[in-house]
Amino acid sequence: MAIGLLISAPMGPIGVLCIRRTLNSGRWSGFFTGIGASISDIIYCLLTGLGLSFITDFITSNQNILQILGSIVLLGFSYYLIKHIPRNEIHSQPTSRKKISYTQDFITGFIFTFSNPLIIFLIIGLYARFNFLDSEIDLYQSIIGFISIMIGALLWWFLITRFVDIVRSRFNTHSMVIINRTIGVIIMIMALAGLIMGAHAYLYN
C-alpha cells in the first residue's frame, strides 16, 4: 500500500490534472481520472515485477547493493519533488458547467499516465527499498502485494480529491508545492534509512 501511495502522491502533471478536474468539474471527475492513472501504474508495476522476476537470483544475491541503488534513486526523486514547483494553472472555482463523462476522465487519466514510462525507475527504487520481490514470496503473496499497491494508489486519489473538494476555495499552486515537499521529505527519510541499512549490511555481511 505504501508503494501505491508513494507512486501516486507526487504532484506531477497527472496530479495537477486530477486537482483541476476536481475543482472545475467536481470530485468524482477528479477521482475517475485518478482511477485511470492507478490502472496505468499497476500495469507498470506488473510489467516491472514480471521483468525483474526473471532475474530473481540476481536480486537475491545482490539485495544489499540493490537496496543502496534504489535508495539513491529515491533520494534523487525526493530532491526533485522538494525543488519542483508545479506551473499549471488551477482554478478555485468551477469554470464550466458542462457535464463530463467519467469514462472520458478515466481514459484520459490512463493515457496521460501510461505515456510516461519513466515511472518504472521509481517503481524499481520502491521495490528495492521495500524488498518487494523477495525470492521467498510465493504467487499468492505476490497477488496480494499487487492488489495492495492498487488499493494504496486508489486510496490516495480518493483522499486528495476529497480534500481538494472540501478546501476548494483555499487550494492553489502553493498547496501543491506543500504536498510535493511533504511527500519528498517522507521519501527522503525512507531512502536515507534504506541507504544506511543497505550500506551496513553490505559492509558487515
Side-chain angles (χ1 to χ4, degrees), residues 49 52-63 66 127 130-142:
L52 292 180
S53 65
F54 291 112
I55 53 173
T56 300
D57 292 339
F58 173 80
I59 294 175
T60 302
S61 59
N62 297 277
Q63 178 178 328
L66 286 176
Y127 278 4
F130 289 102
N131 197 23
F132 184 70
L133 297 178
D134 193 300
S135 59
E136 297 181 358
I137 296 177
D138 57 28
L139 178 61
Y140 172 77
Q141 292 172 316
S142 295

Side-chain angles (χ1 to χ4, degrees), residues 21 24-25 29 96-105:
R21 285 183 172 173
N24 298 339
S25 304
S29 178
S96 175
R97 296 295 182 180
K98 182 179 178 181
K99 184 177 181 179
I100 298 178
S101 168
Y102 293 152
T103 302
Q104 179 183 352
D105 295 329

